[in-house]
Amino acid sequence: DRVKWINNMQFKKNIWIWGQEPSPIINQGKSWSYFFLEVGFFEYRDQFQQDMEGNVTVLPYEERPDVKARMQS
């Protein structure tokens, strides 16, 4: 699954996913995408604004809500 971070703020951003190399600097109006190749729970934060953090949960294909909805219809 791909996650795309878009920087709509006036500050530069740099996404650091725990255990991975940090993203390139994301300037205002620019974006950066990361492809998660494994199922799991991943935490990330901005290296410049360390209080900006979150997580991404990658589910197995058959457990994704959009896939389940298609399979039930």
Side-chain angles (χ1 to χ4, degrees):
D1 287 350
R2 180 181 87 153
V3 175
K4 183 177 186 178
W5 282 267
I6 302 169
N7 184 2
N8 291 323
M9 303 186 77
Q10 63 184 8
F11 312 106
K12 61 185 177 180
K13 300 288 177 197
N14 182 258
I15 304 300
W16 181 46
I17 301 166
W18 293 99
Q20 303 297 322
E21 291 292 319
S23 73
I25 292 174
I26 309 166
N27 291 312
Q28 182 180 17
K30 301 295 181 182
S31 65
W32 176 73
S33 294
Y34 184 81
F35 288 89
F36 290 88
L37 302 176
E38 297 178 22
V39 170
F41 180 83
F42 304 89
E43 296 179 283
Y44 67 88
R45 72 173 191 200
D46 183 324
Q47 283 192 293
F48 298 115
Q49 315 282 304
Q50 293 189 9
D51 60 332
M52 298 180 113
E53 58 187 13
N55 62 69
V56 173
T57 301
V58 179
L59 299 172
Y61 180 78
E62 62 277 359
E63 291 183 27
R64 289 177 27 183
D66 59 323
V67 173
K68 280 184 174 182
R70 277 186 266 147
M71 293 170 65
Q72 293 172 352
S73 58

